[in-house]
Amino acid sequence: ASYHGTSSSGSVKHLVGLNEILKDRHVVIVEDIVDTGLTIKSLMASVLEHQPAEVRVATLLYKPDAYHEKIPIDHIALSVPNDFLVGYGLDYDGIGRNLNHIYKLVEE
Ligand code: IMP
């Protein structure tokens, strides 16, 4: 978890640890959305501690204008503008996750 409301909190909270033995395994980190890259940087560091053979990153959505890390995002389904999105599993503080489509949040 790295988000509060619509902005990155600047730190990553690990909610679930790693249960698998990753040594010498080929690992794919699957993300819903890559924004600033803070989450992927933290996940990558945790996974690399286990000495896997290889780590790749796959994401449904990618915000190129917000991303400022050097870790390559190997598989991107869709690049999106730097908006806050909800639905299809994405939430705004727990709201909207169950919507069947992806919506841009408009604050009034
Ligand atoms: P990052 O650490 O800034 O790359 O943000 C990645 C994480 O923040 C994602 O896994 C989401 O949980 C959350 N996030 C980032 N952008 C959005 C968004 O537009 N909508 C919902 N969640 C987001």
Side-chain angles (χ1 to χ4, degrees), residues 57-68:
V57 180
T59 187
L60 175 65
L61 303 172
Y62 171 62
K63 297 183 189 174
D65 295 339
Y67 190 67
H68 50 62

Side-chain angles (χ1 to χ4, degrees), residues 40-50:
I40 214 66
K41 189 178 169 192
S42 170
L43 279 171
M44 186 63 90
S46 302
V47 170
L48 287 176
E49 278 177 18
H50 296 254

